[in-house]
Amino acid sequence: MQATKQEKIDLYRLMYRIRTFEEQSFVSFNKGLTHGVLHLCIGQEASAAGCIYDLKKEDYLATTHRGHGHVIAKGADLKRMFAELLGKETGYCRGRGGSMHIADMEIGILGANGIVGGGVPIAVGAGLAIKYRGLNRVALSFFGDATLNTGAFHEAANLASIWKLPVVFVCENNLYGISVSIKKACALDTLANRSAGYNIPGVCVDGNDVMAVREAANEAVERARNGEGPSFIECQTYRHMGHFTADDGKYRPDEEVKYWKEERDPIKNFAKQLLDDKEVTQGGLDSIHDEVKTEIEQAFKFAEESEPGHVDDLLEGVYNQPAANQ
Amino acid sequence: MREIKYREAISEALREEMIRDKTVFVMGEDVGQFGGVFQATATLYKDFGASRVLDTPISEAAIVGAALGSALAGLRPVAEIMFVDFTSIAMDQIANQCAKFHFMTGGQAIIPLVIRTQGGVGIGDAAQHSQSLEAWHAHIPGLKVVMPSTPADAKGLLKASIRDDNPVIFIEHKMLYLNEGPVPEDDDYMIPIGKADIKREGEDVTIIAWSKMVVDSLEAADDLEKEGIQAEVVDLRTLNPLDLETILTSVKKTSRVVIVHEACKTGGFGGEVAALIMENAFDYLDAPVERVTGLDTPIPYAEPLYRAVIPNPDWIKKGVKKIL
Ligand SMILES: Cc1ncc(C[n+]2csc(CCOP(=O)(O)OP(=O)(O)O)c2C)c(N)n1
Ligand SMILES: [Mg+2]
């Protein structure tokens, strides 16, 4: 599949937006404006951008605690995302959810999730609804390497397979589940091989190569839209930071972290490729950076200036209330 | 006596029991080199190695189920479930297997097993990492439910739980880990399971609480004293088995009761305690039993919001004054 110059630049911008959002979230956390835990996806932007760039608004995705990148790629409003992190009324969840529960039902974001494995059956259920309703949509399920060992993943993958649901399982293999190396938690060399046990086609791609991810994702999405059932993609990647904001990630060898940061950074490498291929000039990249930074600053400012989540109607939010005119 | 943190008291209890008994071992997510996300198993890996401090995959059902199987086959597992919220994933193994095996096998199976976990509201962990689910577990006959409020209780109760020949769920509180207090160094220091503790004596009102709400109740009691109100604070320490005798003795002394828990009200364990008081000491009461509890809502993320849904010392003081 040939990508146009514009598509490549869009993908670059998308990855850069995700990273800048995450960096600003980290700054905000360090200033004490955001509390709770933040699981940043810095270093993993290519998998979010490559998998989601070509999706339609009505397609679905369900993600994890490390989901900011996915929801940004799906088109979430950065203002409402920051506002949520800051616990504001204008946030996606009115300050009730926080980082781990950002959702936007209007554009098919079925939520980040605080439970490892929790989102996988939900994506499969969206796939069931798509098939049931005869829609030409697809549901993507994002999860980490360590999630492969949950019962929820196993049960959901089997369902998707036997019912031939339009689901794409995207396993972002960043080599660790908190401190535990995937080598200790799973006996497979290639995680994608697990899909064979469900008779689901699986591929393993360089998850830091946005074009490679996009190609694999689009093939899988096409298969789903054609009624050929689920696929599994392993994106090999790495998180630059600790598991969450309070974790220094010291259980990882220094050389390993250095290697992934310096030689396998998805954004740096893609920029170099675009420059080498003369798809863009340094000036072109600089103006993308400036535009994104301005967008992030403004979005954050919006969040800061918004009013805090309302306390007085907390209890009304527990159940859906019948509309006043009913 | 030297003072140590709650989390240090826990790792000390584990260490002492692992030294004493080679069949005691620890398993769970990130409990090894990392020392647990709350550092409650810190340094155990260094001293006992990977064969006795087992990092598991993210597989809660298998963690508890394998703990049960290992107990049936001669070991004394201490399995960690990182957040009590995730016991939901292991619930078949907890409720249908661990709790019932002894009874179902006509007493053949002996289950010396501890599930260590932690719950409660922290600082913005939101709805899936902040719950107080002790009532679920206390509702299952065959399971013991222990919830320590101080470092000393944590150590003594954990050691007793490990030595107990029944499945015990040991629920810590994430906001207590850094609290310091005096803790005996004695290897055989144990607190019997099923024994409540009067954390403060008083004549005017009985405040019954457990886990972190004991700390909040003691703070409230200090304030009330300045206003001339003497509150007695009863720390249940164990919900199942429950020390009804200590509860009733205090109720008969003060004739007024406030029950405090962080869990939401509906179906909370406070209702059980209130009913028992009604059944056994109705004639001694001078006022209806009052409950100060979390509101019936998932725990919100933002600070002003989560503070609005869980009790604090002010709520407890109001509860006391309402029935005085
Ligand atoms: C059921 C459950 N168990 C444990 C946790 C605690 N936890 C949160 S993230 C995580 C590691 C997840 O690893 P992985 O799936 O590889 O995703 P990553 O964080 O690497 O993106 C763990 C153990 C949880 N949230 N839910
Ligand atoms: Mg991972």
Side-chain angles (χ1 to χ4, degrees), chain A residues 21-46:
Chain A
F21 180 91
E22 293 294 65
E23 286 170 349
Q24 178 59 36
S25 304
F26 191 53
V27 168
S28 147
F29 179 85
N30 287 333
K31 282 189 186 157
L33 297 173
T34 313
H35 49 250
V37 286
L38 278 178
H39 305 83
L40 301 174
C41 70
I42 293 176
Q44 305 188 183
E45 297 88 348

Side-chain angles (χ1 to χ4, degrees), chain B residues 1 4 19 33 39 60 126 142 149 152 198 246 248 265 311 318:
Chain B
M1 205 185 297
I4 60 173
I19 290 169
Q33 212 151 14
Q39 295 296 300
E60 284 80 9
S149 70
I198 312 274
T246 300
L248 295 179
K265 190 173 211 169
K318 275 200 200 101

Side-chain angles (χ1 to χ4, degrees), chain A residues 136-207:
Chain A
N136 182 32
R137 297 184 192 172
V138 57
L140 265 60
S141 171
F142 287 90
F143 51 87
D145 44 282
T147 309
L148 279 185
N149 302 320
T150 64
F153 168 78
H154 166 68
E155 295 176 22
N158 184 56
L159 258 195
S161 173
I162 56 169
W163 289 346
K164 274 203 161 215
L165 301 178
V167 176
V168 181
F169 296 99
V170 183
C171 175
E172 297 186 324
N173 179 6
N174 61 12
L175 306 181
Y176 293 84
I178 309 189
S179 71
V180 178
S181 156
I182 188 62
K183 294 211 168 60
K184 272 175 76 180
C186 176
L188 291 168
D189 286 329
T190 302
L191 302 184
N193 289 346
R194 183 157 295 178
S195 70
Y198 306 103
N199 201 18
I200 293 176
V203 290
C204 174
V205 297
D206 175 354

Side-chain angles (χ1 to χ4, degrees), chain B residues 183-194:
Chain B
V183 177
E185 284 174 81
D186 173 10
D187 275 3
D188 282 319
Y189 165 68
M190 282 197 288
I191 293 173
I193 292 177

Side-chain angles (χ1 to χ4, degrees), chain A residues 196-244:
Chain A
Y198 306 103
N199 201 18
I200 293 176
V203 290
C204 174
V205 297
D206 175 354
N208 285 7
D209 176 346
V210 69
M211 301 310 289
V213 172
R214 183 185 181 211
E215 197 175 321
N218 285 355
E219 259 174 46
V221 166
E222 199 179 309
R223 202 175 299 129
R225 293 202 205 276
N226 289 340
E228 293 166 51
S231 311
F232 183 103
I233 301 170
E234 173 190 353
C235 290
Q236 294 191 326
T237 184
Y238 202 74
R239 58 171 154 78
H240 286 185
M241 323 219 10
H243 170 72
F244 42 58

